[in-house]
């Protein structure tokens, strides 16, 4: 697997906030300089996991699938300083109760890892992935999430992940059988968005990993993605749609921006900008710098911006380039819609910490041991 890239777009305000989605936590909690972020307190000594179900390293996925997208981390040395996430969860992002980590917390109150996983992972709002091709139920399932967020006055984060030839046949292969079927699936996905604020991460890997396709196949995919963005925003003008920019260790910014432009990411009719670092480990500072380069090359209106997945980037990418459940990683910054950074719209937890990339379990399944490792690093 090649290395991945990231993109960022201009916001138009000096602070980089999405004012309509501001969670009111202020800019101090989310700056790239992490020396002022609170460190995690000392963790209890935990005995080796028992063979009981509560200590299972790989458990069955929740009814709402959250598949892992595959992308390599860049083989750069780990940063000398770690990025520690802030303690407070966003008060404006929606936390959907049906997730694998929430299930584990409810079912394993006696596990010695329970309090750490509950407070540091389950308490944080995270994305809900729609990764299976189920046209007949997709509208109602998306609506269940968006209506839940609307009822609480909070902003849900949903991931559309059903593009044909997904992951180039890798660990997260699957998706719709063809682009016609995908277009129909997107129509039905959009019908569940409601009318409230919602963030849509549109097809991780679909742009950055498009090199596995022929030229004609790539053009057809990009046309379908551009259509998808228009459909989503037509269905709900309050939806914010972000396109795949990979991450800072993958493609050059100009290359990534050229593909993104073909996929509709520069048009406000289909896009609010780009996302980067989904399911990867690159530092927030590296992603900010790269995303701004991509946004500069992308063009488009100043309202475009970037969102960054900070769920597992607290220690940066591993030096050996390992992308699959690498050891020594840590939680990153808490999700926030207020970053204090120009052109950076949000820090989000798109990949739920503890869900496997495919090495500590089947891709997308929750591993309590992996979750605890991330929360205690």
């Amino acid at each position: 697997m090649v290395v991945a890239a990231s993109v960022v777009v201009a916001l138009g305000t000096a602070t980089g906030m999405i004012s309509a989605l501001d969670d009111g936590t202020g800019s101090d909690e989310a700056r790239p300089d992490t020396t002022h972020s609170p460190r995690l307190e000392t963790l209890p000594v935990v005995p080796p996991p028992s063979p009981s179900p509560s200590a299972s390293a790989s458990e069955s996925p929740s009814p709402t699938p959250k598949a892992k997208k595959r992308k390599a981390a860049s083989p750069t040395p780990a940063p000398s300083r770690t990025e520690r996430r802030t303690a407070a969860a966003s008060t404006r992002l929606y936390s959907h109760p049906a997730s694998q980590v929430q299930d584990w917390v409810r079912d394993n109150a006696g596990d010695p890892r329970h309090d750490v996983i509950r407070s540091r992972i389950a308490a944080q709002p995270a994305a809900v992935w729609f990764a299976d091709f189920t046209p007949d139920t997709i509208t109602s399932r998306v609506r269940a999430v968006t209506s839940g967020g609307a009822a609480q006055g909070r902003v849900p984060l949903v991931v559309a992940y059903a593009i044909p030839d997904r992951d180039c046949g890798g660990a997260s292969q699957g998706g719709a059988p063809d682009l016609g079927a995908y277009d129909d699936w997107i129509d039905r996905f959009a019908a569940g968005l409601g009318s409230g604020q919602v963030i849509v991460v549109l097809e991780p890997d679909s742009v950055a990993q498009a090199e596995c396709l022929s030229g004609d196949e790539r053009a057809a995919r990009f046309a379908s993605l551009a259509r998808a963005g228009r459909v989503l925003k037509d269905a709900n003008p309050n939806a914010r749609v972000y396109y795949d920019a990979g991450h800072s260790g993958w493609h050059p910014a100009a290359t990534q921006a050229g593909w993104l432009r073909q996929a509709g990411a520069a048009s406000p009719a289909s896009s609010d900008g780009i996302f980067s670092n989904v399911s990867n480990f690159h530092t927030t500072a590296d992603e900010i710098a790269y995303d701004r380069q991509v946004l500069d090359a992308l063009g488009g209106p100043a309202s475009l911006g970037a969102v960054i997945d900070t769920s597992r980037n607290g220690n940066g990418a591993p030096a050996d380039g390992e992308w699959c459940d690498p050891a020594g990683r840590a939680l990153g910054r808490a999700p926030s819609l207020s970053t204090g950074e120009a052109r950076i719209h949000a820090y989000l937890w798109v990949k739920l910490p503890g869900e496997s990339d495919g090495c500590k379990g089947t891709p997308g399944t929750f591993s309590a041991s992996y979750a605890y490792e991330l929360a205690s690093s």
Side-chain angles (χ1 to χ4, degrees), residues 20-361:
L21 303 181
D22 185 10
D23 61 3
T25 54
S27 61
D28 290 343
E29 78 165 353
R31 293 188 178 278
D33 186 349
T34 61
T35 56
H36 300 296
S37 299
R39 295 182 65 85
L40 301 176
E41 66 271 19
T42 302
L43 296 163
V45 176
V46 177
S50 69
S52 66
S54 66
S56 172
S58 176
E59 298 170 19
S60 59
S62 66
T64 301
K66 301 173 192 64
K68 158 68 181 76
K69 332 168 298 37
R70 185 170 173 244
K71 51 180 74 160
S74 68
T76 55
S80 58
R81 293 184 299 174
T82 59
E83 294 189 42
R84 296 297 183 182
R85 69 169 179 83
T86 54
S90 169
T91 58
R92 289 284 286 127
L93 285 163
Y94 175 58
S95 182
H96 189 55
S99 70
Q100 294 181 85
V101 67
Q102 302 276 11
D103 292 344
W104 186 90
V105 166
R106 282 189 291 267
D107 295 342
N108 295 276
D111 191 288
R113 301 163 295 187
H114 177 274
D115 288 349
V116 169
I117 293 174
R118 175 189 56 78
S119 63
R120 297 181 183 174
I121 296 178
Q124 298 290 349
V128 180
W129 289 66
F130 296 91
D132 54 343
F133 181 69
T134 52
D136 292 341
T137 62
I138 189 63
T139 300
S140 61
R141 290 167 53 215
V142 173
R143 184 179 293 126
V145 177
T146 57
S147 62
Q152 295 184 14
R154 298 183 180 182
V155 183
L157 169 60
V158 295
V159 180
Y161 191 52
I163 199 79
D165 300 312
R166 186 176 71 194
D167 199 28
C168 295
S172 296
Q173 62 184 294
D178 54 54
L179 287 175
Y182 177 73
D183 291 347
D184 177 67
W185 185 86
I186 281 289
D187 291 346
R188 298 180 187 218
F189 185 103
L193 290 179
S195 59
Q197 295 172 353
V198 57
I199 297 172
V200 182
V201 168
L202 180 61
E203 298 298 339
D205 285 341
S206 61
V207 178
Q209 205 179 42
E211 283 184 313
C212 70
L213 304 175
S214 69
D216 289 345
E217 290 170 335
R218 189 181 308 138
R221 172 182 284 189
F222 291 166
S224 188
L225 287 170
R227 175 193 181 275
R230 293 193 301 270
V231 167
L232 294 168
K233 293 186 72 65
D234 284 347
N236 180 358
N238 288 316
R240 289 184 175 267
V241 179
Y242 294 90
Y243 280 74
D244 170 39
H247 63 62
S248 57
W250 202 346
H251 299 296
T255 300
Q256 189 68 29
W259 290 343
L260 283 161
R261 196 176 303 110
Q262 295 176 53
S267 170
S270 54
S271 170
D272 291 278
I274 58 174
F275 63 83
S276 71
N277 208 44
V278 168
S279 297
N280 220 284
F281 308 92
H282 294 273
T283 66
T284 304
D286 286 347
E287 291 305 295
I288 289 172
Y290 180 76
D291 287 351
R292 286 172 175 163
Q293 292 174 3
V294 175
L295 292 173
D296 285 344
L298 179 65
S303 60
L304 300 180
V307 298
I308 298 170
D309 186 354
T310 59
S311 60
R312 305 187 299 178
N313 72 344
N315 285 343
D320 62 1
E322 179 56 63
W323 62 268
C324 186
D325 301 330
R329 301 311 96 201
L331 302 178
R333 299 180 184 280
S336 178
L337 298 172
S338 177
T339 71
E341 290 289 342
R343 312 184 86 180
I344 309 302
H345 286 181
Y347 301 137
L348 303 173
W349 282 17
V350 184
K351 172 71 174 182
L352 190 62
E355 291 188 0
S356 176
D357 299 329
C359 292
K360 292 183 180 293

